[in-house]
Amino acid sequence: MAIAGMILGIIAIVFAFIPVFGAFIAFPCLGVGLPLSGIAFYQAHQAGTGKGQAIAGVATNTVALVMIIAWAVLIGIGISAS
């Protein structure tokens, strides 16, 4: 699960660089990747095993979410300024 969450996070970051239409692909990846990574982190914590890939999945999904929010804010500022 950790690998899948990390891969979905990477895909979400790549598509988050596209201002408007990238969000249509990044949001579903975030919707699946973030919970997968969170569950994998919880399971790794309970088992006492390595948590590196789960942390990477949470981090990549969070970065993509922040990028999408930043685009939305910047576009909103641009629309209100014009």
Side-chain angles (χ1 to χ4, degrees), residues 14-31:
V14 169
F15 282 101
F17 278 108
I18 303 170
V20 176
F21 298 111
F24 291 113
I25 296 174
F27 267 129
C29 290
L30 285 170

Side-chain angles (χ1 to χ4, degrees), residues 20-45:
V20 176
F21 298 111
F24 291 113
I25 296 174
F27 267 129
C29 290
L30 285 170
V32 175
L34 197 56
L36 277 179
S37 299
I39 292 168
F41 180 77
Y42 178 75
Q43 287 178 347
H45 179 71

Side-chain angles (χ1 to χ4, degrees), residues 12-18 62-73:
I13 286 176
V14 169
F15 282 101
F17 278 108
I18 303 170
T62 303
V63 167
L65 181 62
V66 168
M67 288 174 61
I68 291 170
I69 291 171
W71 274 119
V73 168

